[in-house]
Amino acid sequence: MSGKLSRESASFQTGLASVTPLHSAFYRQYNITVGLLRIDLLHPQISGNKWFKLLPLLQRLESGERPRVLSFGGVWSNHLHALAYVGNSFGIRTLGMVRGHPAQASTAMLEDAQRWGMQLVYLSRDEYRDRDAPAFLATLAQEYLGWEVLPEGGSNADAVQGCRTIWQSVQGSDWSAPDYFVCAMGTGGTLAGVIAGKPSRTQVVGVPVLALGDAGEHRVRELLSQAQVSDPQGWCLDHAGAFGGYAKLTHELAAFLLSFECRIGVPLDPVYTLKMMAALNRRVVRGQIAPGSRVLLLHSGGLQGRRGMLSRVETGASAFVGPQLV
Ligand SMILES: *Cc1c(COP(=O)(O)O)cnc(C)c1O
């Protein structure tokens, strides 16, 4: 199977993604079968899960609507990157509220976004913290009359409905109802969508990549309810998977990333999919994945953001001493 999707043409509705089997002595020893669902390959710029999160917007654009869209993110945001690309492809105005300062060094992400016509406005850390506060949003609505506001990461009811269709990628294959489905969690829209669409026999494990605590579960339930989906149960969060916080990269993780890429030949991004892989392996060692299980992991893309961390990966990996995370 190969990822086959038409790009800026009339079929943003469905997509087939391939599954890369992960063969390793480690998984064989624990008698589990592991596959990586390659939605990272569906589109070169609207990367991985962002394609599904933006799917309802893409469908509106294809039917001729031309909204102006404003959203939020950091200086390496995969979401703003994807949104800027969509804006350029369909000729709509986009605006990114960026956590940072214009005097800071630019990033390859911000340069791409600007090249694709996204207008950038910088918010200080304090301002950015208020991004979901009703008072802030009310001021924004007045200042940017007529603009549609997408929350950070694009996580809203539409994103849940879009990500629900990730399951269509495996329909009819032997991965259609795995025992476990594992995916990284940032703002939660992707995970909530995966939960909304899951077969009842599948356990979904979300791996928050930042320290969320109970707010993580709360956030998933909130998104399900915004999308008017009743909680099907059969899911949990692996809170140990954050490895110290958002974009924190231990030496051990850095070494794991390089060895994984060498062995499997699939690039991971250090912020999301790397931590998801590490969390799965730890669950396996801890006996939290029953022998005989089939485990499907979501390769949610995000490789443009990897550009910003490569030197940290190399420095970290070369400083690492000790046994590998397998
Ligand atoms: C944005 C992103 C996520 C997180 O998705 P949420 O819906 O915000 O939880 C996961 N993986 C990658 C590669 C991403 O870019």
Side-chain angles (χ1 to χ4, degrees):
M1 258 195 296
S2 72
K4 178 129 175 56
L5 263 193
S6 83
R7 318 297 181 205
E8 284 70 62
S9 72
S11 54
F12 273 113
Q13 280 84 354
T14 54
L16 267 190
S18 58
V19 173
T20 302
L22 300 187
H23 297 296
S24 82
F26 170 63
Y27 296 139
R28 264 195 304 281
Q29 183 188 332
Y30 285 89
N31 186 26
I32 60 173
T33 307
V34 182
L36 198 51
L37 178 57
R38 305 296 305 281
I39 63 169
D40 60 311
L41 299 177
L42 292 182
H43 193 284
Q45 302 296 351
I46 313 175
S47 180
N49 63 338
K50 303 306 186 280
W51 192 96
F52 289 92
K53 296 182 85 167
L54 293 172
L55 186 58
L57 174 65
L58 291 168
Q59 288 166 337
R60 286 170 53 203
L61 293 169
E62 291 216 316
S63 71
E65 282 185 53
R66 288 294 174 265
R68 286 181 280 176
V69 185
L70 177 165
S71 196
F72 303 87
V75 296
W76 283 105
S77 167
N78 294 327
H79 164 65
L80 290 183
H81 195 256
L83 180 62
Y85 183 86
V86 169
N88 189 46
S89 306
F90 288 91
I92 60 162
R93 287 180 66 191
T94 58
L95 189 150
M97 300 244 155
V98 179
R99 179 175 177 277
H101 194 274
Q104 252 171 265
S106 187
T107 65
M109 188 298 272
L110 292 172
E111 279 160 22
D112 287 345
Q114 276 174 304
R115 186 158 43 81
W116 292 328
M118 177 176 263
Q119 186 185 336
L120 301 179
V121 171
Y122 289 86
L123 300 181
S124 69
R125 274 162 191 266
D126 287 344
E127 289 170 323
Y128 196 84
R129 200 168 298 131
D130 281 343
R131 65 192 174 276
D132 294 325
F136 176 75
L137 291 173
T139 318
L140 207 63
Q142 295 208 323
E143 223 171 297
Y144 294 92
L145 267 183
W147 286 75
E148 274 183 36
V149 178
L150 287 184
E152 182 185 50
S155 283
N156 57 14
D158 276 353
V160 176
Q161 296 301 353
C163 289
R164 189 180 194 152
T165 69
I166 287 175
W167 286 101
Q168 289 176 11
S169 329
V170 288
Q171 229 169 41
S173 81
D174 53 1
W175 284 106
S176 62
D179 298 291
Y180 295 93
F181 187 101
V182 187
C183 89
M185 171 180 181
T187 58
T190 307
L191 178 63
V194 164
I195 292 170
K198 82 181 187 68
S200 55
R201 71 181 304 274
T202 300
Q203 292 286 319
V204 173
V205 180
V207 180
V209 300
L210 63 168
L212 289 175
D214 291 347
E217 282 85 356
H218 179 74
R219 174 110 191 98
V220 172
R221 288 194 200 101
E222 179 68 30
L223 281 162
L224 287 172
S225 109
Q226 279 175 23
Q228 303 187 328
V229 173
S230 64
D231 184 348
Q233 312 291 332
W235 59 274
C236 68
L237 300 186
D238 186 334
H239 288 290
F243 282 88
Y246 186 77
K248 290 269 164 32
L249 185 72
T250 63
H251 295 166
E252 187 185 17
L253 278 175
F256 175 51
L257 184 136
L258 292 189
S259 84
F260 179 92
E261 292 186 351
C262 267
R263 283 184 297 123
I264 311 288
V266 174
L268 299 176
D269 86 288
V271 177
Y272 297 101
T273 49
L274 171 64
K275 288 184 176 178
M276 167 192 75
M277 282 303 319
L280 170 70
N281 290 357
R282 186 171 36 203
R283 291 180 85 79
V284 171
V285 172
R286 288 186 176 170
Q288 291 168 312
I289 304 288
S293 295
R294 290 172 69 78
V295 182
L296 189 58
L297 296 137
L298 185 68
H299 193 315
S300 39
L303 294 169
Q304 72 80 27
R306 182 176 178 276
R307 298 178 292 181
M309 287 181 79
L310 282 180
S311 65
R312 277 171 65 196
V313 169
E314 277 160 22
T315 318
S318 55
F320 177 66
V321 182
Q324 286 274 354
L325 272 165
V326 300

